[in-house]
């Protein structure tokens, strides 16, 4: 869509907002933790079931969310619960808008933010979407025309069901035995009779513009209707205009419009496609339909399909994503978008919005000892962090600070996901560049709905009725502290890796190429791009992905490739690539001429797409390549250099670009650059503790350790090395830490970081405990005295086995405390979260592996008291409900399903261990 000048007036405050965000995050005060802002706190998707919301419950729930440490909500209206239809409110009605207004004002009064899905359910659509503007598909009907005989079958649309509307005949094409095409549309009369009798045998293809018929999935009241044609500018304009009219005259004050992943099934066409294809690709696609339909692995099939898919990408990018963002800016709103699942270039689609959003779907395997991962409770999907980097790369390269993630989608079976399982998953997202977590999610549930409240069918369901909720703030604080750092400054990645999207678009199978989270083993894993990126990251290099369009917009400054005012990199890497446009090669060589360093793994084999003058264009490409004139695998071009190398690490080292050797220890990392130094986020997801000297590729005068679990800080002794700085670090399996390296030596006036690697002595306090159940479902079991600490389940007490909630273990012990020592409380097993009080003072939380907490400042010489409140999972109480046939799931639409999308039934579940297990010890450290 052509950018309208009036949008500049509305865009300015949005750009100003981001500018202030960048300035605000640039230079955190010396040794202080960066400010915990609204955006640093985790947000959540907030399902409004049936839009059955009211001011009393909205107010109370937002206060509850705020108290738990959430920074904002993303309103997502969906289907409702049965029996509450009298509370339903139609989407965008005056009553609904009143509830939205109340929600935003209440959230703002609490310092919280609000985003809004621009529709109900997903994908975009609703009653306002006319048949003309609905998602569209291309239907091709085949006929055989025999020489000398008239076609005796009328060319009319063949409906699959009687209620299906008639499709529009777009064109009729005739193909001879060599697939030479002739358009014969004008020879078809009103009744579908073909009045054309050319000599010879012909394959006749009739092209119809049909509607997919897809309705909005999981729609809320007032939101039922057709799915939008995302490829049509006029359809998208009409859709946006509907919301503009609904919101007219009032700024409702929410931050951003949100768009979920592209799930527009079967939509592969729009009314202007053939015209747009001709304009963009230079030939008539109708003449090449046999190749578009074919799945043969031939050159012409691959080239025609690549052109078709590139055109679809152009329409999605320009007519929907950019058009939608420009419109949102005109409404003083930002856009937050999931590009994955679409048929387009993910990098460019993510780059076209204000907040790119990726998704963690399924459960990853981490070799952390004791981390529960029952195969029966997980989906057969392994999240790939490289998939997350498409969103973060787009944000980094275009200077956008926030990278959001729909987090924990189907992490595990309902009611069985713990904070200890969530932590490494969210850390993996942080390592991929995510810094704005959105939970998937929380369901609005009114106060008068009995346990377990209203629940969404595919959610982690961290609602206020979840037995883990009273401990939720501890987990949220961990994320908030982490994101406060991960939103500070800017990404510090030295490499750019070219994503050859044309290789993906040349796949011979199918018509559309949907680039989805669930099919990475098809479109991503087999590629050299993936293999090289993974190897480089494993070796200790930091990188972002770059598209053809991003290359074209990049410049060179002081030898660095400047992708935006906020981002630069040291080298551009072109992995083994089959297809590369001539213009992209020209843009790469221009960067080299201006001083950039470029490494080609191999020569790109060809240019993408079909061209009538293929040989001529290939010759131009080959001449450009030959102009590089490699000698010994390198060439000086202008101010820069171009390398031809299959050993990327060796060439990078030759350029003075060194890997972070700390990865050799088993650590994973990500860096952020700030005004006075560099932040390192270090994570031990290996199976072993790491206790050794590690090197940092940063010259540091002072190094500070920062624990995101507790907020504690301390200085770490460091030594300067030829390559940077050396520090000694101890991290158990499952631990993570931030290091801040200061460019100059500074006096931080904070204690030294304790060395927990070797304990001087250990005191076992596992005996003589009392167990009291304080709050939960279905009823409180009787109090117990415990000789040796153990879970409250599996002891023959049915009430305890069925219980979900909080229970307190308490004890007394004598202890000899020495001045200047550090004391670490360790618990072998926590099922699933613990809050700890020593001598009546709250000492902190323990909900992640390793279950430990420094309690030095709370211990006293002599007699001490300890209370450990444990929150377990909802699983046992849900099993109780199902075994006793107590109805709790009764929703319209999909109702409630298990992780395999089958009817949910917990009656046969085994008891989930609950409480504390193993030993409880206090270790002394110097």
């Amino acid at each position: 869509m052509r950018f309208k000048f009036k949008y500049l007036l509305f865009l300015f405050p949005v750009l100003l907002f981001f500018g202030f965000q960048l300035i605000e995050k640039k230079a955190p005060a010396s040794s202080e933790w960066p400010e915990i802002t609204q955006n640093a706190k985790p947000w959540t998707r907030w399902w409004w079931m049936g839009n059955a919301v009211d001011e009393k419950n909205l107010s109370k729930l937002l206060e509850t969310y705020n108290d738990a440490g959430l920074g904002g909500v993303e309103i997502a209206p969906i289907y409702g619960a049965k029996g509450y239809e009298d509370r339903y409110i139609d989407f965008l009605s005056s009553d609904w808008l009143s509830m939205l207004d109340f929600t935003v004002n209440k959230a703002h009064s609490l310092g919280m933010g609000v985003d809004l899905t621009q529709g109900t359910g997903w994908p975009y659509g609703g009653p306002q979407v006319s048949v003309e503007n609905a998602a569209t598909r291309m239907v091709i009907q085949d006929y055989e025309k025999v020489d000398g005989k008239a076609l005796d079958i009328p060319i009319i649309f063949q409906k699959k069901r009687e209620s299906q509307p008639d499709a529009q005949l777009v064109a009729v094409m005739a193909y001879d035995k060599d697939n030479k095409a002739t358009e014969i549309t004008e020879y078809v009369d009103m009744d579908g009779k073909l009045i054309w009798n050319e000599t010879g045998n012909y394959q006749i293809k009739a092209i119809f513009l049909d509607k997919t018929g897809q309705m909005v999935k999981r729609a809320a009241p007032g939101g039922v209707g057709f799915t939008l044609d995302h490829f049509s500018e006029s359809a998208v304009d009409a859709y946006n205009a509907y919301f503009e009219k609904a919101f007219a005259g009032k700024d409702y004050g929410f931050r951003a419009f949100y768009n979920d992943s592209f799930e527009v099934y079967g939509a592969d066409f729009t009314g202007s496609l053939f015209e747009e294809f001709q304009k963009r690709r230079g030939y008539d696609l109708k003449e090449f339909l046999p190749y578009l339909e074919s799945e043969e692995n031939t050159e012409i099939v691959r080239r025609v399909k690549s052109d078709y898919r590139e055109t679809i990408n152009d329409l999605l990018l320009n007519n929907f994503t950019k058009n939608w963002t420009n419109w949102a800016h005109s409404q003083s709103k930002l856009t937050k978008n999931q590009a994955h699942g679409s048929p387009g270039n993910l990098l460019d689609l993510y780059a076209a919005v204000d907040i790119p959003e990726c998704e963690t779907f399924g459960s990853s395997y981490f070799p952390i000892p004791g981390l529960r991962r029952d195969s029966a409770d997980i989906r057969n999907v392994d999240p790939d962090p490289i998939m997350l980097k498409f969103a973060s790369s787009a944000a980094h390269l275009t200077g956008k600070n926030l990278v959001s993630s729909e987090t924990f989608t189907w992490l595990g079976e309902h009611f069985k996901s713990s904070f200890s399982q969530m932590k490494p998953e969210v850390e993996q997202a942080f390592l991929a560049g995510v810094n704005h977590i959105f939970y998937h999610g929380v369901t609005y549930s009114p106060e008068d709905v009995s346990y377990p409240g209203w629940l969404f069918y595919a959610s982690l369901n961290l609602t206020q009725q979840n037995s883990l909720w009273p401990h939720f703030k501890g987990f949220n604080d961990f994320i908030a502290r982490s994101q406060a750092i991960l939103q500070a400054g800017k990404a510090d990645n030295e490499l750019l890796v070219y994503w050859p999207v044309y290789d993906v678009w040349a796949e011979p199978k199918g018509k559309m190429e949907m680039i989805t989270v669930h099919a990475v083993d098809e479109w991503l894993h087999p590629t050299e791009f993936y293999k090289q990126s993974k190897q480089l990251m494993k070796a200790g290099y930091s990188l972002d992905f770059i598209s053809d369009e991003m290359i074209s917009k990049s410049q060179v400054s002081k030898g660095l490739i400047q992708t935006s005012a906020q981002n630069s990199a040291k080298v551009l890497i072109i992995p083994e690539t089959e297809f590369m446009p001539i213009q992209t090669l020209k843009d790469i060589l221009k960067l080299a001429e201006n001083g950039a360093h470029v490494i080609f793994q191999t020569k790109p084999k060809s240019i993408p797409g079909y061209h009538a003058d293929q040989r001529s264009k290939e010759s131009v490409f080959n001449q450009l390549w030959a102009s590089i004139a490699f000698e010994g695998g390198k060439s000086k071009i202008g101010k820069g250099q171009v390398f031809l190398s299959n050993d990327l690490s060796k060439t990078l080292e030759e350029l003075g670009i060194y890997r972070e050797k700390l990865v050799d220890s088993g650590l994973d990392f990500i860096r952020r650059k700030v005004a006075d130094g560099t932040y390192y986020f270090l994570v031990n997801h290996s199976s072993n503790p790491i206790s050794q000297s590690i090197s940092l590729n940063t010259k540091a005068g002072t190094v500070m350790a920062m624990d995101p679990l507790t907020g504690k800080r301390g200085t770490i002794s460091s030594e300067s090395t030829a390559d940077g700085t050396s520090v000694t670090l101890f991290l158990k399996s499952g631990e993570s830490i931030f290091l801040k390296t200061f460019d100059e030596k500074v006096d931080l006036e904070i204690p030294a970081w304790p060395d927990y690697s070797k304990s001087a002595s250990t005191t076992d306090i596992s005996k003589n405990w009392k167990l009291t159940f304080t709050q939960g479902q279905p009823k409180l079991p009787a109090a117990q005295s415990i000789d040796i600490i153990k879970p409250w389940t599996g002891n023959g007490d049915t009430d305890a086995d069925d219980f979900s909630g909080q229970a307190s273990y308490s004890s007394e012990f004598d202890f000899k405390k020495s001045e200047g020592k550090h004391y670490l409380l360790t618990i072998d097993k926590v099922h699933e979260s613990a809050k700890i009080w020593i001598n009546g003072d709250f000492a902190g939380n323990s909900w992640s592996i390793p279950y430990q907490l420094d309690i030095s400042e709370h211990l006293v010489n002599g007699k001490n008291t300890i209370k450990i409140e444990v929150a377990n999972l909802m699983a046992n109480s849900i099993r109780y409900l199902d075994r006793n046939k107590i109805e709790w799931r009764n929703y319209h639409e999909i109702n409630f399903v298990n992780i395999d999308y089958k009817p949910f039934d917990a009656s046969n579940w085994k008891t989930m261990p609950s409480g504390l297990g193993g030993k409880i010890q206090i270790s002394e450290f110097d």
Side-chain angles (χ1 to χ4, degrees):
M1 179 184 181
R2 188 173 65 253
F3 188 88
K4 297 180 175 61
F5 178 76
K6 69 174 183 177
Y7 288 151
L8 289 172
L9 299 176
F10 298 98
L11 184 56
F12 179 75
V14 176
L15 295 175
L16 200 61
F17 165 86
F18 270 101
F20 281 132
Q21 288 288 304
L22 290 169
I23 294 169
E24 178 185 72
K25 304 291 181 187
K26 190 174 182 181
S30 181
S31 67
E32 295 301 315
W33 208 286
E35 180 188 358
I36 306 298
T37 64
Q38 180 188 98
N39 286 340
K41 296 177 182 179
W43 289 36
T44 186
R45 187 170 299 179
W46 193 21
W47 287 285
W48 282 10
M49 301 200 81
N51 291 319
V53 299
D54 61 72
E55 291 185 0
K56 178 183 176 182
N57 280 290
L58 286 169
S59 181
K60 184 171 183 178
L61 287 172
L62 285 169
E63 290 171 359
T64 302
Y65 301 159
N66 179 60
D67 290 343
L70 295 177
V73 293
E74 174 198 286
I75 299 172
I78 55 165
Y79 60 89
K82 294 179 180 178
Y84 296 89
E85 288 81 0
D86 61 335
R87 301 188 189 183
Y88 289 0
I89 302 174
D90 281 347
F91 181 59
L92 293 185
S93 65
S94 59
D95 287 344
W96 191 92
L97 291 171
S98 177
M99 292 299 103
L100 174 64
D101 190 38
F102 179 86
T103 298
V104 173
N105 289 331
K106 178 65 180 183
H108 287 177
S109 74
L110 297 169
M112 298 178 70
V114 178
D115 287 348
L116 176 65
T117 304
Q118 196 177 329
T120 78
W122 64 90
Y124 277 9
Q128 74 275 24
V129 176
S130 64
V131 173
E132 178 187 3
N133 289 338
T136 304
R137 63 175 182 160
M138 182 195 306
V139 174
I140 300 174
Q141 293 181 183
D142 292 308
Y143 306 84
E144 294 293 332
K145 170 73 171 59
V146 179
D147 187 18
K149 294 184 178 180
L151 190 66
D152 57 359
I153 303 173
I155 298 177
I156 56 175
F157 182 62
Q158 304 298 314
K159 297 182 181 181
K160 292 186 177 180
R161 60 185 185 279
E162 192 173 332
S163 60
Q164 185 178 1
D166 288 328
Q168 175 189 341
L169 180 63
V170 175
V172 180
M173 305 295 295
Y175 305 88
D176 66 15
K177 60 183 179 61
D178 297 319
N179 275 336
K180 183 179 179 181
T182 304
E183 182 164 357
I184 56 173
T185 311
E186 61 182 303
Y187 298 102
V188 180
D189 68 14
M190 296 292 292
D191 297 320
K193 183 178 180 180
L194 178 63
I195 309 169
W196 183 77
N197 201 16
E198 194 75 14
T199 302
N201 297 324
Y202 289 88
Q203 181 184 21
I204 308 296
K205 290 185 179 291
I207 309 161
F208 292 90
L209 185 153
D210 188 28
K211 297 299 172 178
T212 67
Q214 181 184 351
M215 306 291 282
V216 173
K217 196 173 179 180
R218 320 302 182 214
V224 176
F226 287 120
T227 295
L228 178 67
D229 179 357
H230 289 65
F231 308 131
S232 166
E233 182 180 20
S234 60
V236 173
D237 285 345
Y239 189 80
N240 290 334
Y242 181 78
F243 284 86
E244 187 170 341
K245 182 179 179 181
F247 296 137
K250 185 174 180 62
D251 181 2
Y252 287 88
F254 54 90
R255 180 186 68 165
F257 287 112
Y258 167 71
N259 179 50
D260 209 331
S261 58
F262 189 89
E263 296 182 36
V264 189
Y265 305 119
D268 57 13
F269 196 54
T270 192
S272 63
L273 186 131
F274 288 134
E275 177 186 348
E276 291 288 346
F277 188 97
Q278 177 86 49
K279 180 172 66 177
R280 297 169 184 273
R281 308 283 90 85
Y283 64 97
D284 187 350
L285 179 61
K286 298 193 299 295
E287 296 180 1
F288 290 79
L289 290 183
Y291 305 112
L292 183 63
E293 287 190 295
S294 173
E295 294 196 349
E296 292 184 27
N297 191 7
T298 62
E299 183 175 351
I300 191 168
V301 166
R302 298 182 71 210
R303 290 184 177 280
V304 169
K305 289 195 175 188
S306 177
D307 282 340
Y308 165 75
R309 291 159 180 165
E310 184 178 7
T311 304
I312 286 289
N313 166 76
D314 293 346
L315 298 179
L316 179 62
L317 176 63
N318 293 293
N319 292 347
F320 176 72
T321 312
K322 289 183 177 180
N323 185 14
W324 170 59
T325 297
N326 289 340
W327 170 79
H329 290 172
S330 77
Q331 305 301 303
S332 301
K333 299 291 181 266
L334 306 177
T335 51
K336 186 164 70 77
N337 180 56
Q338 293 185 1
H340 57 271
S342 76
N345 185 325
L346 301 189
L347 290 171
D348 293 340
L349 291 169
Y350 278 132
V353 299
D354 300 306
I355 307 174
E357 178 164 297
C358 52
E359 176 179 1
T360 68
F361 190 100
S363 168
S364 302
Y365 167 72
F366 299 99
I368 300 170
L371 184 63
R372 178 169 50 82
R373 192 172 190 262
D374 189 336
S375 59
D377 294 332
I378 59 175
R379 289 178 67 87
N380 188 25
V381 176
D382 292 322
D384 193 321
I386 286 183
M387 182 70 199
L388 306 180
K389 285 188 70 67
F390 282 88
S392 64
S393 295
H396 296 161
L397 269 60
T398 55
K400 300 178 176 74
N401 190 41
L402 298 179
V403 182
S404 65
S405 169
E406 176 189 313
T407 314
F408 308 134
T409 309
W410 284 122
L411 176 63
E413 184 55 275
H414 290 293
F415 316 117
K416 290 188 177 183
S417 295
S418 65
F419 297 144
S420 63
Q421 293 170 312
M422 298 177 210
K423 180 174 180 280
E425 206 76 56
V426 79
E427 287 169 338
Q428 183 170 258
F430 289 158
L431 291 167
V434 171
N435 62 5
H436 191 25
I437 292 294
F438 277 74
Y439 293 128
H440 188 275
V442 172
T443 307
Y444 171 101
S445 185
E447 191 174 20
D448 64 339
V449 175
S450 60
Y451 181 83
W454 289 347
L455 300 170
F456 181 62
Y457 78 93
S459 167
L460 200 65
N461 281 315
L462 283 165
T463 67
Q464 75 277 11
Q465 298 208 33
N466 192 309
S467 48
L468 289 173
W469 185 271
H471 289 217
F472 195 21
K473 190 174 189 304
F475 185 71
N476 289 332
D477 287 347
F478 161 74
I479 290 181
R481 293 188 193 103
S482 299
Q483 292 190 155
I485 292 175
L486 295 171
Q487 292 174 12
K490 59 184 181 180
D492 185 20
N493 299 334
E494 61 265 276
L495 308 182
L496 298 171
V497 179
Y498 170 67
W499 181 42
V501 69
Y502 292 96
D503 290 5
V504 179
W505 285 338
E507 163 62 43
K509 293 181 181 178
K511 187 186 294 182
M512 296 280 276
E513 182 67 11
M514 308 302 281
I515 303 177
T516 70
V517 172
H518 314 300
V520 288
D521 55 337
E522 297 175 10
W523 65 267
L524 179 60
H525 290 171
T527 66
E528 198 66 21
F529 159 80
Y530 176 80
K531 295 171 186 175
Q532 291 298 325
S533 296
K534 192 169 185 178
Q535 287 176 13
L536 288 166
M537 291 165 63
K538 186 177 180 180
Y541 293 100
S542 295
L543 55 86
D544 283 313
F545 307 147
I546 190 168
S547 69
D548 300 80
E549 177 72 10
M550 292 169 177
I551 289 174
S552 73
K553 293 180 178 179
S554 296
Q555 298 178 340
V556 181
S557 175
K558 299 179 181 178
L560 299 178
I561 302 170
Q562 202 85 30
T563 64
S564 67
Q566 296 79 25
N567 187 78
S568 61
K570 295 178 180 178
V571 66
L572 170 62
I573 294 174
I574 313 297
E576 182 179 307
T577 301
E578 184 172 5
F579 298 107
M580 175 180 282
I582 293 172
Q583 187 58 50
T584 299
L585 182 56
K586 288 181 178 178
D587 292 335
I588 291 170
L589 296 182
K590 183 179 178 181
L591 289 175
E593 288 173 1
N594 292 327
H597 294 105
V598 181
I599 305 173
F600 284 88
Q601 188 183 357
T602 60
K603 174 185 179 294
K605 295 180 178 64
S606 184
I607 60 173
Y610 171 81
H611 307 276
D613 55 346
Q614 187 74 30
R615 288 186 179 180
S616 173
K617 289 188 180 296
E618 293 282 1
S619 176
V620 171
F621 185 86
N622 290 331
Q623 287 173 20
L624 269 175
W625 180 262
S627 71
I628 301 175
F630 290 107
E631 291 184 11
K634 63 182 71 174
S635 175
K636 177 76 174 172
I637 296 184
K639 299 177 183 178
Q641 280 184 300
V642 179
F643 296 80
L644 184 62
S645 171
N646 199 37
D647 190 341
L648 299 180
S649 293
K650 181 180 178 182
T651 306
L652 289 170
E653 190 168 331
E654 184 179 337
L655 285 168
I657 301 170
Y658 300 103
R659 69 191 188 92
E660 290 278 7
K661 295 178 182 178
L662 63 87
V663 298
D664 296 340
S665 67
L667 290 171
D668 295 311
F669 78 98
I670 190 172
R671 295 188 306 255
R672 298 283 296 187
K673 193 72 178 173
V674 290
D676 57 352
T678 300
Y679 283 112
Y680 280 79
F681 181 49
L682 304 178
V683 182
N684 182 9
H685 284 165
S686 73
S687 58
N688 300 307
I690 294 170
S691 180
Q692 65 185 73
S693 176
I694 63 168
S695 63
L696 308 174
N697 286 3
T698 301
K699 293 286 186 181
T702 302
V703 180
M704 175 175 64
M706 308 171 74
D707 181 6
L709 278 175
T710 63
K712 292 182 178 179
R713 296 160 294 126
T715 57
I716 287 187
S717 59
S718 60
E719 293 183 6
S720 295
T721 65
D723 300 325
T725 305
S726 174
V727 298
T728 299
L729 199 65
F730 174 66
L731 285 180
K732 294 180 181 178
S733 176
E735 283 193 284
S736 60
I737 199 167
F738 284 93
L739 297 182
K740 182 175 181 183
T741 67
F742 292 84
D743 296 335
E744 307 293 335
K745 187 172 182 62
V746 291
D747 183 7
L748 298 179
E749 297 183 352
I750 57 176
W753 189 255
D755 179 6
Y756 295 116
S757 61
K758 294 179 182 178
S759 63
S761 64
T762 298
T763 303
D764 192 313
I765 60 169
S766 305
K767 295 181 179 180
N768 300 322
W769 290 76
K770 292 182 180 180
L771 175 62
T772 306
F773 296 88
T774 53
Q775 178 179 302
Q777 300 288 335
K779 65 179 181 179
L780 298 183
Q784 304 175 19
S785 293
I786 304 173
D787 293 334
I788 298 288
I789 201 77
K790 62 181 179 180
W792 68 67
T793 50
N795 302 314
D797 184 341
T798 303
D799 289 345
D801 287 348
D802 290 339
F803 178 76
S804 294
Q806 300 85 48
S808 292
Y809 291 81
S810 58
S811 184
E812 295 182 348
F813 59 93
D814 290 319
F815 194 78
K816 184 178 180 181
K817 181 181 180 183
S818 300
E819 288 299 321
K821 303 292 185 180
H822 291 274
Y823 295 93
L824 197 66
L825 176 74
T826 60
I827 308 172
D828 284 350
K829 295 179 181 179
V830 177
H831 310 287
E832 296 292 338
S833 177
K835 287 183 176 181
I836 299 162
W837 286 261
I838 305 292
N839 297 317
D841 295 331
F842 180 65
N845 307 283
S846 184
W847 46 261
S848 63
I849 298 172
Y851 301 108
Q852 61 185 30
L853 183 67
D854 191 316
I855 58 172
S856 306
E857 61 186 88
H858 303 285
L859 286 173
V860 296
N861 250 328
K863 190 170 292 296
N864 289 261
T865 63
I866 180 171
K867 183 177 80 169
I868 305 177
E869 180 188 89
V870 179
N872 72 335
L873 300 171
M874 294 175 71
N876 293 343
S877 60
I878 296 296
R879 180 191 60 181
Y880 169 85
L881 295 177
D882 281 358
R883 282 185 174 178
N884 289 277
K885 302 188 184 305
I886 299 172
E887 186 58 57
W888 58 271
R889 52 190 182 276
N890 193 24
Y891 306 105
H892 292 288
E893 258 267 5
I894 196 172
N895 199 4
F896 202 83
V897 295
N898 68 14
I899 201 163
D900 297 316
Y901 278 74
K902 296 177 182 178
F904 182 92
D905 182 8
S907 61
N908 292 322
W909 283 1
K910 295 179 181 179
T911 302
M912 295 294 292
S914 303
L916 303 178
K919 293 182 178 181
I920 301 180
Q921 299 175 317
I922 300 173
S923 299
E924 181 181 279
F925 298 89
D926 292 329

